[in-house]
Amino acid sequence: GAVVSQHPSRVICKSGTSVKIECRSLDFQATTMFWYRQFPKQSLMLMATSNEGSKATYEQGVEKDKFLINHASLTLSTLTVTSAHPEDSSFYICSGLAARNRETQYFGPGTRLLVL
Amino acid sequence: SQQGEEDPQALSIQEGENATMNCSYKTSINNLQWYRQNSGRGLVHLILIRSNEREKHSGRLRVTLDTSKKSSSLLITASRAADTASYFCATDASHDYKLSFGAGTTVTVRA
C-alpha cells in the first residue's frame, strides 16, 4: 500500500516559537498533499492543499502566514506553525494523493502539537 | 467545510454483533469514502463507493449509498475488539479531490 510518514509524532514547544512538521510519501510520488487539523474528539478540518512546485491553497479562515506550507518535492511537504500560541495546540495530519489513484488519500500518522 | 453528518455519535456493542453507522451529506458527490481512526493515530482508508454505485463489500464491511437521499451506511459484521475505533465518512464533491469529513462515529466493541 501507499505509506505516508510524519515527523515528529509529538512536539512540545514554548509560545512564540515556530514548529516544522514534515510529511513524506515513502513509496509513491504525491503531486498533491493535504494538511488537516483535528481537535480532540472532533472531525478533520482541511487547512490547505499543497501541490508540488506551486504555492499552497488555503481554506477559508486559515492564515497562510501563520501556517507556512512548502511542497518542494514529490515526496515531501512541510507545515511550519509560526509564532505558535496555545490555541494552535492540536493534532495535525497530512495526506497524499498518488498520481496512479487520485481518488484515495493516504494519511500520515499525525503530529500532536502542544504549545505551552 | 464539513459536509457529512454521522449517526450515531457513539456506539457500544458486544463482540460478534454487527455495527451500523450512517452518514448524510448535502451536495452532489463524486464518491464517498469511509475511514477508520484509532485513538491518536492517522486515518486508514476502508472503502470508496462512487456516485453510480449502490453497494460495495470489502471483507466484513458493507457500504451502501443512496444518492437520492444523500446518505450512506457502513455495516461491520461480526465485530471484533480490534474494530474499536472512530469511523468517518468523507465526501469528494469537487474536481480537486478535496475531502469533506463527517463528525465521526466512535465504536466500542466489548469483549
Side-chain angles (χ1 to χ4, degrees), chain A residues 49-115:
Chain A
T49 304
S50 165
N51 291 298
E52 186 266 337
S54 62
K55 288 184 180 178
T57 54
Y58 291 80
E59 295 300 301
Q60 196 170 10
V62 178
E63 298 175 59
K64 62 179 183 181
D65 294 328
K66 172 78 174 173
F67 299 100
L68 299 178
I69 291 172
N70 184 277
H71 194 157
S73 77
L74 286 171
T75 58
L76 174 64
S77 176
T78 60
L79 167 69
T80 301
V81 183
T82 62
S83 187
H85 288 107
E87 57 264 30
D88 298 325
S89 299
S90 191
F91 193 55
Y92 293 88
I93 308 178
C94 69
S95 70
L97 281 182
R100 65 178 184 272
N101 176 10
R102 293 185 67 78
E103 288 182 312
T104 301
Q105 293 186 26
Y106 298 97
F107 284 81
T111 295
R112 180 142 330 263
L113 170 64
L114 177 61
V115 185

Side-chain angles (χ1 to χ4, degrees), chain A residues 32 34 36 38 41-46 49 57 59 91 93 97 102-110 112, chain B residues 1-2 30-31 33 35 37 40-45 48 50 88 92 96-104:
Chain A
T32 301
F34 299 96
Y36 296 86
Q38 184 180 33
K41 299 191 186 303
Q42 292 190 27
S43 188
L44 279 73
M45 298 299 295
L46 179 65
T49 304
T57 54
E59 295 300 301
F91 193 55
I93 308 178
L97 281 182
R102 293 185 67 78
E103 288 182 312
T104 301
Q105 293 186 26
Y106 298 97
F107 284 81
R112 180 142 330 263
Chain B
S1 63
Q2 225 164 308
N30 301 317
N31 63 64
Q33 305 179 36
Y35 287 83
Q37 183 181 35
R41 310 291 292 271
L43 274 72
V44 174
H45 184 260
L48 178 153
R50 294 189 176 85
F88 294 92
D92 175 358
D96 53 11
Y97 306 103
K98 290 183 185 179
L99 292 178
S100 181
F101 282 82

Side-chain angles (χ1 to χ4, degrees), chain A residues 17-49:
Chain A
T17 60
S18 294
V19 174
K20 181 186 281 189
I21 303 169
E22 293 185 347
C23 176
R24 291 181 187 274
S25 56
L26 299 183
D27 54 0
F28 69 99
Q29 293 185 329
T31 52
T32 301
M33 286 182 167
F34 299 96
W35 286 95
Y36 296 86
R37 184 173 181 176
Q38 184 180 33
F39 290 106
K41 299 191 186 303
Q42 292 190 27
S43 188
L44 279 73
M45 298 299 295
L46 179 65
M47 298 174 67
T49 304

Side-chain angles (χ1 to χ4, degrees), chain B residues 14-27:
Chain B
Q14 201 73 31
E15 205 165 26
E17 293 179 340
N18 296 342
T20 300
M21 58 212 87
N22 303 294
C23 168
S24 60
Y25 56 91
K26 297 183 181 126
T27 66

Side-chain angles (χ1 to χ4, degrees), chain B residues 5-90:
Chain B
E5 301 265 341
E6 292 182 62
D7 80 273
Q9 282 189 322
L11 184 59
S12 180
I13 56 174
Q14 201 73 31
E15 205 165 26
E17 293 179 340
N18 296 342
T20 300
M21 58 212 87
N22 303 294
C23 168
S24 60
Y25 56 91
K26 297 183 181 126
T27 66
S28 297
I29 59 172
N30 301 317
N31 63 64
L32 185 144
Q33 305 179 36
W34 286 90
Y35 287 83
R36 183 184 76 227
Q37 183 181 35
N38 291 90
S39 181
R41 310 291 292 271
L43 274 72
V44 174
H45 184 260
L46 295 177
I47 199 163
L48 178 153
I49 187 164
R50 294 189 176 85
S51 60
N52 61 354
E53 296 175 313
R54 292 296 166 258
E55 189 171 310
K56 220 165 177 181
H57 296 253
S58 176
R60 293 183 296 112
L61 306 179
R62 174 177 168 255
V63 168
T64 64
L65 179 64
D66 186 335
T67 52
S68 66
K69 294 181 180 176
K70 291 188 169 60
S71 69
S72 173
S73 69
L74 170 67
L75 168 68
I76 305 172
T77 60
S79 64
R80 304 167 182 168
D83 295 328
T84 295
S86 291
Y87 292 82
F88 294 92
C89 68

